[in-house]
Amino acid sequence: MSLLFSPLTVRGVTVRNRLWVAPMCQYSAVDGVPQEWHHTHLAQFASGGAGLVVAEATAVSPEGRISLEDTGLWTDEQRDAWGPIVAAIRDRGARAGVQLAHAGRKASTWSPFSGEHGSVPAAAGGWTTVAPSAIAFEGYDVPQELDAAGIDEVVADFAAAARRAVDAGFEVLEIHAAHGYLVHQFLSPLANRRTDEYGGSLENRARLLLRIVDAVRAAAPDVPVFVRLSATDWADDGWDVAQTVQVARWAADHGADLFDVSSGGLVAHQRIETGPGYQVEFAARVRNEAGVAVSAVGMIDDAVQAEAILAAGEADAVSSAREWLRDPHFALRASVELGDEIAYWPAQYLRARRRTPARAA
């Protein structure tokens, strides 16, 4: 058995393999309520052999949405709509997770399908965004700086969303602290210019994240809690890997179980050097220097590549996004490529498990 198809247990939840589906925004919800599209989209990955399927960045409050079409968990109606989707994932043998998110200054934007760019005006349903400081993301409206009461409300919103997620059946909760959204904005000195207890030193800039970890852990004491971190801003004087390592240590002390290591998204002038597995080195540093469990993500689209990452001790699991969109049965294909005999091929697909040798001419 390859490492990729060996199980991984996190806080009592055993995931059948280490090839996971990263959260991918679909911009297809109505008033935060997931639709039939989300059901089909997410359940197919479980049929395709994924170990863990993490649903998209799901807003903890209306003003936390990236766009008007984002999913949410701030109402019971949304919770109830997630229930059958989660059941479909679990019925197919995968674990179901959800990414809890607040977009901060990158909220109230047009969906990528609209043809528009920038902030949505109030007349079209947009709203005033919030952030650690009144500094706009390039090309977006200037946000309102959160006061102490606003910060407390954000923490409470994450806790309430966590409770609804567990009630809907989700088995893993991921706190989105990456990609330039609200928690990342507090972490990075490029977006956080506060002079109170939430700004300045690393300890202060990490305070919101640690409060959210505490709140989510209290709301879901037995559920694995992941944290998605951008390991670097890819910009001068910004957030970097050394700070990520330290904050991962602190978050683990507060009850976080695993760190989903990505990068970028905070500023438009970032300079990203991409390539196959280009973020794996960041995951490896967090794993080895912070002594925590991590998943690696970023252009991991090949079974041999994924297995090599695990074999090298660079991550405990690997997550992919676009490869799952290209092939919703990525894990089934990977098991054949690695020669693994896994027991969870759907009976309806068994005839495809072994390739038929080509006939001689």
Side-chain angles (χ1 to χ4, degrees), residues 66-67 105-111 114-121 137-141:
I66 303 167
S67 76
R105 70 180 188 175
K106 292 177 74 175
S108 188
T109 60
W110 296 98
S111 84
S114 68
E116 303 285 345
H117 301 282
S119 299
V120 177
F137 183 82
E138 292 94 324
Y140 292 6
D141 292 345

Side-chain angles (χ1 to χ4, degrees), residues 44-55:
Q44 67 180 339
F45 302 134
S47 296
L52 172 66
V53 179
V54 183

Side-chain angles (χ1 to χ4, degrees), residues 2-361:
S2 66
L3 289 171
L4 191 62
F5 285 95
S6 64
L8 178 65
T9 299
V10 182
R11 196 175 285 267
V13 173
T14 298
V15 185
R16 63 187 177 183
N17 65 47
R18 301 174 188 233
L19 184 55
W20 298 350
V21 179
M24 293 176 276
C25 290
Q26 298 297 291
Y27 303 103
S28 300
V30 178
D31 296 327
V33 177
Q35 303 295 302
E36 178 59 29
W37 174 266
H38 298 89
H39 191 132
T40 302
H41 166 69
L42 294 168
Q44 67 180 339
F45 302 134
S47 296
L52 172 66
V53 179
V54 183
E56 65 192 79
T58 296
V60 300
S61 63
E63 61 275 12
R65 290 172 293 173
I66 303 167
S67 76
L68 286 162
E69 294 80 16
D70 280 22
T71 56
L73 270 169
W74 70 84
T75 72
D76 291 348
E77 180 187 9
Q78 294 159 357
R79 175 203 63 198
D80 294 344
W82 278 115
I85 299 170
V86 173
I89 295 169
R90 296 176 62 171
D91 287 349
R92 289 160 173 79
R95 297 295 190 171
V98 64
Q99 186 180 70
L100 305 178
H102 191 303
R105 70 180 188 175
K106 292 177 74 175
S108 188
T109 60
W110 296 98
S111 84
F113 314 142
S114 68
E116 303 285 345
H117 301 282
S119 299
V120 177
W127 58 92
T128 300
T129 61
V130 296
S133 303
I135 303 171
F137 183 82
E138 292 94 324
Y140 292 6
D141 292 345
V142 176
Q144 177 180 333
E145 181 175 311
L146 278 166
D147 59 15
I151 292 173
D152 290 345
E153 185 175 356
V154 167
V155 175
D157 288 340
F158 270 90
R163 285 190 289 271
R164 286 194 178 93
V166 173
D167 289 344
F170 283 109
E171 302 161 285
V172 171
L173 305 177
E174 179 169 278
I175 298 165
H176 201 352
H179 300 166
Y181 298 122
L182 183 66
V183 182
H184 185 187
Q185 292 161 27
F186 270 84
L187 291 172
S188 176
L190 295 179
N192 184 346
R193 305 289 175 79
R194 300 177 73 97
T195 58
D196 63 2
E197 67 269 34
Y198 292 93
S201 69
L202 180 59
E203 292 86 348
N204 285 353
R205 286 182 280 119
R207 193 178 306 276
L208 175 62
L209 171 59
L210 299 182
R211 286 191 62 191
I212 291 171
V213 172
D214 287 341
V216 170
R217 171 53 63 219
D222 301 320
V223 176
V225 173
F226 295 1
V227 177
R228 184 164 230 192
L229 292 168
S230 279
T232 174
D233 288 339
W234 297 98
D236 293 340
D237 302 317
W239 183 253
D240 59 26
V241 184
Q243 294 175 88
T244 302
V245 168
Q246 181 58 64
V247 169
R249 290 193 191 104
W250 291 337
D253 289 342
H254 282 251
D257 298 297
L258 183 143
F259 297 85
D260 179 8
V261 183
S262 187
S263 70
L266 186 87
V267 291
H269 62 272
Q270 62 189 6
R271 299 186 300 275
I272 301 179
E273 301 169 7
T274 64
Y278 70 102
Q279 296 174 145
V280 173
E281 64 177 292
F282 305 140
R285 280 196 59 183
V286 173
R287 183 178 193 264
N288 296 326
E289 295 179 25
V292 296
V294 305
S295 63
V297 67
M299 298 181 72
I300 302 172
D301 55 12
D302 175 82
V304 174
Q305 174 197 22
E307 177 70 10
I309 290 166
L310 299 178
E314 295 174 307
D316 299 276
V318 295
S319 297
S320 297
R322 296 181 189 184
E323 188 59 24
W324 283 104
L325 298 182
R326 288 186 283 263
D327 180 3
H329 306 112
F330 180 25
L332 299 183
R333 188 189 83 219
S335 72
V336 173
E337 292 173 355
L338 294 177
D340 284 312
E341 291 285 346
I342 58 174
Y344 42 88
W345 271 76
Q348 298 89 337
Y349 294 170
L350 280 174
R351 71 188 70 181
R353 185 163 59 181
R354 289 180 175 82
R355 297 182 187 276
T356 302
R359 294 182 178 179

